[in-house]
Amino acid sequence: MPMSEGSVEIKELVKTYTDDRGRPTFTAVKNISLPIQDGEFMVLVGPSGCGKSTTLRMVAGLEKITSGTISIGGRVVNELEPKDRGIAMVFQNYALYPHMSIFNNMAFGLQLAKKKKDFISDTVGRTSKALGLDHMLDRKPHALSGGQRQRVALGRAIVRSPKVFLFDEPLSNLDAKMRVQMRSEISKLHAQLGSTMIYVTHDQVEAMTMGDRICVMRDGLIMQVADPLTLYRQPENLFVAGFIGSPPMNLLKGKIQKREGGLVFVENAEKNGLVFPLKGRLEQLAGKYVDKEVVFGIRPEHLSDDIKEGLAAPITSTVEIAEPMGSESLVYLKAGTGNLIARIHGEHLYHLGEEVTVQLNMDKVNLFDAATENVIR
Ligand code: ATP
């Protein structure tokens, strides 16, 4: 079956950097495979140094591939020049030509491709209007704000009508407000153009709000690929559980034990920490882990100070820090031998040292194997 034009297939991709003499120095990408569908918005996210930019640069053709293949539209592009790959790239530092007008910055690629003058002025005109840049086409980049410059960089990519857009941290030089605005502009653009977009960021909020799917990377490896909600609700491993979500998921180390009445999770078992009885789904999952180390994960919003009958037994805790934000409060609690963060409604103002009773929504708990760090299913 022929692949559609904008699909990108990354297969067993490896990148080992070498020194001047060709001796290997560092393997930044360690055999990753990732199929990206035509029209999909795929975000590569992970901490600094995880290999996301290196991966993107190999798709762009800016970095030589050590082994594996990259195909665009069903065609292997490993040996193709960047300009022949049907891609356009938008960088963090905009990479505009400072001595050229905005018009020429946007038109440059089309001029190189020897497009007709009328076509160029028409395309640049239309695109600059859509981006709100049409009244500043004569200016040079230095006379533009950061957000406007990033829009020029976007416009320069759009006029080339690439099949695939590649973004490398395009918003990190902008202030918080402009970032939010540009984020929605890029999402809108994706909806309008329907092109494939591959977007690199270290910011998990950007990843969650923009991606159709998100590929979480660590140390040159893929940790999970999923849509935002699946990633949030069903992290495959401790890394994803801790990386996605802010504040992060509460992760308590402990053991599964058999007690009268059934299985329980005991936090910090040696020091007799909190005890959570496991029922139904959790009891089944924990069956194979009796007397073994596990990690108990629960999101801050699944702790509540509104205690309901018939649910998990409430636990007593003490407030260490309270961050009221109006609509809700983040409350950092000391409970058992550890700490818990709760995201609770903002009506009650909590104070340092105050005692709070909280209840966990046990339906939302994830258990992880402490040895493999993978979720228990
Ligand atoms: P960041 O968000 O900081 O850019 P990243 O996930 O995009 O991080 P990469 O730029 O892909 O990371 O780099 C991955 C790893 O490869 C890093 O540890 C980096 O130090 C290393 N690296 C990058 N370029 C080279 C090079 N030319 N030679 C050796 N190692 C390199």
Side-chain angles (χ1 to χ4, degrees):
M1 198 176 68
M3 303 266 280
S4 26
E5 284 195 324
S7 64
V8 178
E9 170 111 31
I10 296 176
K11 231 176 175 171
E12 294 169 14
L13 189 68
V14 175
K15 173 67 189 184
T16 301
Y17 286 106
T18 51
D19 64 14
D20 301 347
R21 295 198 191 156
R23 290 178 300 204
T25 52
F26 186 75
T27 300
V29 177
K30 303 169 183 165
N31 198 331
I32 64 167
S33 294
L34 178 67
I36 300 166
Q37 288 162 21
D38 188 13
E40 191 169 26
F41 198 122
M42 174 65 79
V43 179
L44 307 183
V45 70
S48 181
C50 69
K52 52 196 188 300
S53 297
T54 302
T55 303
L56 193 77
R57 290 170 61 79
M58 285 191 276
V59 176
L62 301 173
E63 205 72 73
K64 209 170 151 37
I65 293 169
T66 306
S67 66
T69 55
I70 294 175
S71 311
I72 299 177
R75 182 168 65 138
V76 174
V77 298
N78 286 34
E79 302 303 329
L80 278 192
E81 291 289 320
K83 66 175 175 44
D84 300 325
R85 294 187 178 201
I87 50 125
M89 190 145 171
V90 181
F91 298 94
Q92 168 181 354
N93 59 9
Y94 325 126
L96 301 179
Y97 299 108
H99 58 283
M100 282 188 196
S101 68
I102 299 314
F103 180 92
N104 281 329
N105 262 288
M106 286 175 67
F108 192 61
L110 298 177
Q111 288 160 350
L112 276 187
K114 306 236 173 335
K115 298 285 180 198
K116 292 223 167 71
K117 232 175 164 180
D118 285 354
F119 174 83
I120 296 178
S121 64
D122 197 47
T123 312
V124 172
R126 228 176 331 110
T127 309
S128 58
K129 195 154 187 218
L131 292 168
L133 296 166
D134 47 328
H135 57 289
M136 49 184 90
L137 287 173
D138 295 333
R139 286 195 215 164
K140 301 266 171 69
H142 70 84
L144 263 52
S145 72
Q148 289 164 340
R149 277 181 225 171
Q150 193 49 284
R151 250 178 253 150
V152 176
L154 258 182
R156 184 179 52 182
I158 296 168
V159 295
R160 299 177 48 205
S161 22
K163 298 183 185 68
V164 183
F165 284 83
L166 305 176
F167 296 91
D168 193 356
E169 304 256 9
L171 309 185
S172 35
N173 282 352
L174 304 178
D175 65 39
K177 193 164 163 222
M178 187 52 82
R179 253 199 324 260
V180 173
Q181 191 186 330
M182 287 299 291
R183 206 156 79 193
S184 66
E185 283 185 28
I186 294 175
S187 293
K188 266 190 232 152
L189 191 70
H190 177 244
Q192 273 166 20
L193 301 175
S195 325
T196 310
M197 297 190 170
I198 310 179
Y199 190 104
V200 162
T201 179
H202 64 276
D203 178 344
Q204 49 111 1
V205 176
E206 235 168 79
M208 292 290 279
T209 50
M210 298 177 85
D212 290 324
R213 283 193 303 156
I214 300 170
C215 169
V216 183
M217 294 183 68
R218 173 172 76 164
D219 293 342
L221 293 168
I222 293 179
M223 303 308 287
Q224 187 171 1
V225 185
D227 64 88
L229 286 186
T230 304
L231 214 56
Y232 190 78
R233 292 181 184 157
Q234 295 155 24
E236 293 273 348
N237 47 59
L238 280 177
F239 179 78
V240 175
F243 188 77
I244 299 289
S246 175
M249 185 184 277
N250 292 293
L251 296 169
L252 304 175
K253 282 190 183 161
K255 264 188 181 164
I256 303 293
Q257 288 183 352
K258 206 170 200 151
R259 298 237 171 131
E260 223 172 290
L263 295 184
V264 294
F265 167 80
V266 187
E267 175 245 335
N268 200 354
E270 290 68 36
K271 294 193 175 145
N272 291 317
L274 297 168
V275 178
F276 299 113
L278 304 174
K279 302 281 173 233
R281 173 186 71 97
L282 289 177
E283 188 169 27
Q284 273 186 2
L285 291 177
K288 277 186 271 171
Y289 284 83
V290 176
D291 293 325
K292 293 206 177 111
E293 302 275 346
V294 298
V295 178
F296 178 100
I298 184 147
R299 296 255 175 225
E301 60 271 31
H302 297 137
L303 272 72
S304 171
D305 59 349
D306 181 13
I307 309 301
K308 298 221 163 63
E309 288 288 324
L311 295 181
I315 55 176
T316 311
S317 64
T318 318
V319 176
E320 292 212 306
I321 303 173
E323 295 177 345
M325 292 187 294
S327 63
E328 59 180 29
S329 293
L330 295 178
V331 190
Y332 295 71
L333 303 165
K334 180 116 197 95
T337 68
N339 300 292
L340 287 168
I341 308 173
R343 185 198 293 278
I344 43 195
H345 61 77
E347 272 141 51
H348 180 81
L349 204 55
Y350 283 104
H351 296 285
L352 183 75
E354 189 175 341
E355 196 165 277
V356 193
T357 306
V358 288
Q359 194 170 37
L360 273 58
N361 182 347
M362 296 294 283
D363 289 342
K364 305 290 185 186
V365 168
N366 283 294
L367 289 178
F368 301 88
D369 182 320
T372 64
E373 301 199 345
N374 288 328
V375 75
I376 299 174
R377 352 168 170 270

PDB file of all heavy atoms in Angstrom, residues 17 25-26 28 47-54 169, ligand 1:
ATOM      1  N   TYR A  17      27.518  10.132  17.827  1.00  0.00           N
ATOM      2  CA  TYR A  17      28.410  11.234  17.443  1.00  0.00           C
ATOM      3  C   TYR A  17      29.842  10.724  17.448  1.00  0.00           C
ATOM      4  O   TYR A  17      30.186   9.808  18.202  1.00  0.00           O
ATOM      5  CB  TYR A  17      28.260  12.412  18.404  1.00  0.00           C
ATOM      6  CG  TYR A  17      26.985  13.188  18.206  1.00  0.00           C
ATOM      7  CD1 TYR A  17      25.925  13.084  19.102  1.00  0.00           C
ATOM      8  CD2 TYR A  17      26.833  14.017  17.097  1.00  0.00           C
ATOM      9  CE1 TYR A  17      24.745  13.790  18.909  1.00  0.00           C
ATOM     10  CE2 TYR A  17      25.646  14.732  16.894  1.00  0.00           C
ATOM     11  CZ  TYR A  17      24.618  14.613  17.805  1.00  0.00           C
ATOM     12  OH  TYR A  17      23.458  15.317  17.605  1.00  0.00           O
ATOM     13  N   THR A  25      31.964   8.999  20.050  1.00  0.00           N
ATOM     14  CA  THR A  25      32.074   9.706  21.324  1.00  0.00           C
ATOM     15  C   THR A  25      30.824   9.509  22.175  1.00  0.00           C
ATOM     16  O   THR A  25      30.918   9.257  23.369  1.00  0.00           O
ATOM     17  CB  THR A  25      32.292  11.211  21.110  1.00  0.00           C
ATOM     18  OG1 THR A  25      31.283  11.678  20.227  1.00  0.00           O
ATOM     19  CG2 THR A  25      33.670  11.509  20.572  1.00  0.00           C
ATOM     20  N   PHE A  26      29.649   9.608  21.550  1.00  0.00           N
ATOM     21  CA  PHE A  26      28.425   9.544  22.356  1.00  0.00           C
ATOM     22  C   PHE A  26      27.261   9.078  21.504  1.00  0.00           C
ATOM     23  O   PHE A  26      27.056   9.571  20.401  1.00  0.00           O
ATOM     24  CB  PHE A  26      28.132  10.933  22.937  1.00  0.00           C
ATOM     25  CG  PHE A  26      26.989  10.937  23.897  1.00  0.00           C
ATOM     26  CD1 PHE A  26      27.129  10.428  25.178  1.00  0.00           C
ATOM     27  CD2 PHE A  26      25.742  11.430  23.511  1.00  0.00           C
ATOM     28  CE1 PHE A  26      26.059  10.413  26.064  1.00  0.00           C
ATOM     29  CE2 PHE A  26      24.666  11.433  24.399  1.00  0.00           C
ATOM     30  CZ  PHE A  26      24.837  10.918  25.682  1.00  0.00           C
ATOM     31  N   ALA A  28      23.593   9.331  21.076  1.00  0.00           N
ATOM     32  CA  ALA A  28      22.509  10.206  21.539  1.00  0.00           C
ATOM     33  C   ALA A  28      21.143   9.606  21.262  1.00  0.00           C
ATOM     34  O   ALA A  28      20.170   9.916  21.950  1.00  0.00           O
ATOM     35  CB  ALA A  28      22.619  11.569  20.872  1.00  0.00           C
ATOM     36  N   PRO A  47      13.603  15.454  28.872  1.00  0.00           N
ATOM     37  CA  PRO A  47      14.539  16.385  29.496  1.00  0.00           C
ATOM     38  C   PRO A  47      15.720  16.696  28.585  1.00  0.00           C
ATOM     39  O   PRO A  47      15.950  15.990  27.594  1.00  0.00           O
ATOM     40  CB  PRO A  47      15.000  15.638  30.746  1.00  0.00           C
ATOM     41  CG  PRO A  47      14.696  14.208  30.486  1.00  0.00           C
ATOM     42  CD  PRO A  47      13.572  14.145  29.512  1.00  0.00           C
ATOM     43  N   SER A  48      16.446  17.716  28.935  1.00  0.00           N
ATOM     44  CA  SER A  48      17.603  18.131  28.157  1.00  0.00           C
ATOM     45  C   SER A  48      18.562  16.953  27.955  1.00  0.00           C
ATOM     46  O   SER A  48      18.846  16.213  28.886  1.00  0.00           O
ATOM     47  CB  SER A  48      18.301  19.252  28.928  1.00  0.00           C
ATOM     48  OG  SER A  48      19.403  19.678  28.193  1.00  0.00           O
ATOM     49  N   GLY A  49      19.005  16.786  26.711  1.00  0.00           N
ATOM     50  CA  GLY A  49      19.980  15.736  26.431  1.00  0.00           C
ATOM     51  C   GLY A  49      19.382  14.380  26.094  1.00  0.00           C
ATOM     52  O   GLY A  49      20.116  13.416  25.888  1.00  0.00           O
ATOM     53  N   CYS A  50      18.036  14.281  25.996  1.00  0.00           N
ATOM     54  CA  CYS A  50      17.413  12.969  25.767  1.00  0.00           C
ATOM     55  C   CYS A  50      17.488  12.534  24.311  1.00  0.00           C
ATOM     56  O   CYS A  50      17.140  11.408  23.971  1.00  0.00           O
ATOM     57  CB  CYS A  50      15.967  12.961  26.238  1.00  0.00           C
ATOM     58  SG  CYS A  50      14.880  13.973  25.231  1.00  0.00           S
ATOM     59  N   GLY A  51      17.903  13.428  23.420  1.00  0.00           N
ATOM     60  CA  GLY A  51      18.088  13.049  22.017  1.00  0.00           C
ATOM     61  C   GLY A  51      16.978  13.499  21.094  1.00  0.00           C
ATOM     62  O   GLY A  51      16.956  13.149  19.916  1.00  0.00           O
ATOM     63  N   LYS A  52      16.079  14.347  21.602  1.00  0.00           N
ATOM     64  CA  LYS A  52      14.949  14.752  20.761  1.00  0.00           C
ATOM     65  C   LYS A  52      15.380  15.654  19.602  1.00  0.00           C
ATOM     66  O   LYS A  52      14.947  15.455  18.462  1.00  0.00           O
ATOM     67  CB  LYS A  52      13.836  15.389  21.606  1.00  0.00           C
ATOM     68  CG  LYS A  52      14.300  16.508  22.518  1.00  0.00           C
ATOM     69  CD  LYS A  52      13.254  16.806  23.582  1.00  0.00           C
ATOM     70  CE  LYS A  52      13.604  18.043  24.376  1.00  0.00           C
ATOM     71  NZ  LYS A  52      14.901  17.968  25.110  1.00  0.00           N
ATOM     72  N   SER A  53      16.264  16.625  19.867  1.00  0.00           N
ATOM     73  CA  SER A  53      16.727  17.499  18.777  1.00  0.00           C
ATOM     74  C   SER A  53      17.536  16.716  17.766  1.00  0.00           C
ATOM     75  O   SER A  53      17.424  16.948  16.552  1.00  0.00           O
ATOM     76  CB  SER A  53      17.602  18.635  19.302  1.00  0.00           C
ATOM     77  OG  SER A  53      16.860  19.438  20.153  1.00  0.00           O
ATOM     78  N   THR A  54      18.361  15.801  18.251  1.00  0.00           N
ATOM     79  CA  THR A  54      19.169  14.988  17.341  1.00  0.00           C
ATOM     80  C   THR A  54      18.247  14.210  16.400  1.00  0.00           C
ATOM     81  O   THR A  54      18.494  14.130  15.195  1.00  0.00           O
ATOM     82  CB  THR A  54      20.065  14.025  18.153  1.00  0.00           C
ATOM     83  OG1 THR A  54      20.882  14.805  19.022  1.00  0.00           O
ATOM     84  CG2 THR A  54      20.947  13.193  17.251  1.00  0.00           C
ATOM     85  N   GLU A 169      11.924  23.496  19.479  1.00  0.00           N
ATOM     86  CA  GLU A 169      11.705  24.447  20.585  1.00  0.00           C
ATOM     87  C   GLU A 169      11.393  25.850  20.066  1.00  0.00           C
ATOM     88  O   GLU A 169      12.043  26.816  20.486  1.00  0.00           O
ATOM     89  CB  GLU A 169      12.958  24.524  21.477  1.00  0.00           C
ATOM     90  CG  GLU A 169      13.405  23.185  22.021  1.00  0.00           C
ATOM     91  CD  GLU A 169      13.059  22.979  23.481  1.00  0.00           C
ATOM     92  OE1 GLU A 169      12.313  23.798  24.042  1.00  0.00           O
ATOM     93  OE2 GLU A 169      13.520  21.978  24.046  1.00  0.00           O
TER      94      GLU A 169
HETATM   95  P1  ATP B   1      18.131  19.890  24.587  1.00  0.00           P
HETATM   96  O1  ATP B   1      16.693  20.152  24.922  1.00  0.00           O
HETATM   97  O2  ATP B   1      19.062  20.273  25.697  1.00  0.00           O
HETATM   98  O3  ATP B   1      18.552  20.391  23.256  1.00  0.00           O
HETATM   99  P2  ATP B   1      17.921  17.300  23.404  1.00  0.00           P
HETATM  100  O4  ATP B   1      17.071  16.223  23.990  1.00  0.00           O
HETATM  101  O5  ATP B   1      17.394  17.974  22.230  1.00  0.00           O
HETATM  102  O6  ATP B   1      18.279  18.310  24.556  1.00  0.00           O
HETATM  103  P3  ATP B   1      20.176  16.604  21.825  1.00  0.00           P
HETATM  104  O7  ATP B   1      20.521  17.978  21.396  1.00  0.00           O
HETATM  105  O8  ATP B   1      19.521  15.717  20.858  1.00  0.00           O
HETATM  106  O9  ATP B   1      19.316  16.641  23.152  1.00  0.00           O
HETATM  107  O10 ATP B   1      21.492  15.902  22.386  1.00  0.00           O
HETATM  108  C1  ATP B   1      21.469  14.582  22.854  1.00  0.00           C
HETATM  109  C2  ATP B   1      22.791  14.257  23.491  1.00  0.00           C
HETATM  110  O11 ATP B   1      23.800  14.207  22.477  1.00  0.00           O
HETATM  111  C3  ATP B   1      23.254  15.260  24.508  1.00  0.00           C
HETATM  112  O12 ATP B   1      23.774  14.555  25.619  1.00  0.00           O
HETATM  113  C4  ATP B   1      24.342  16.048  23.815  1.00  0.00           C
HETATM  114  O13 ATP B   1      25.325  16.460  24.717  1.00  0.00           O
HETATM  115  C5  ATP B   1      24.896  15.029  22.838  1.00  0.00           C
HETATM  116  N1  ATP B   1      25.436  15.676  21.635  1.00  0.00           N
HETATM  117  C6  ATP B   1      24.818  16.558  20.835  1.00  0.00           C
HETATM  118  N2  ATP B   1      25.611  16.943  19.821  1.00  0.00           N
HETATM  119  C7  ATP B   1      26.797  16.289  19.991  1.00  0.00           C
HETATM  120  C8  ATP B   1      28.034  16.244  19.286  1.00  0.00           C
HETATM  121  N3  ATP B   1      28.235  16.960  18.184  1.00  0.00           N
HETATM  122  N4  ATP B   1      29.020  15.435  19.769  1.00  0.00           N
HETATM  123  C9  ATP B   1      28.822  14.692  20.873  1.00  0.00           C
HETATM  124  N5  ATP B   1      27.672  14.676  21.581  1.00  0.00           N
HETATM  125  C10 ATP B   1      26.676  15.467  21.147  1.00  0.00           C
END
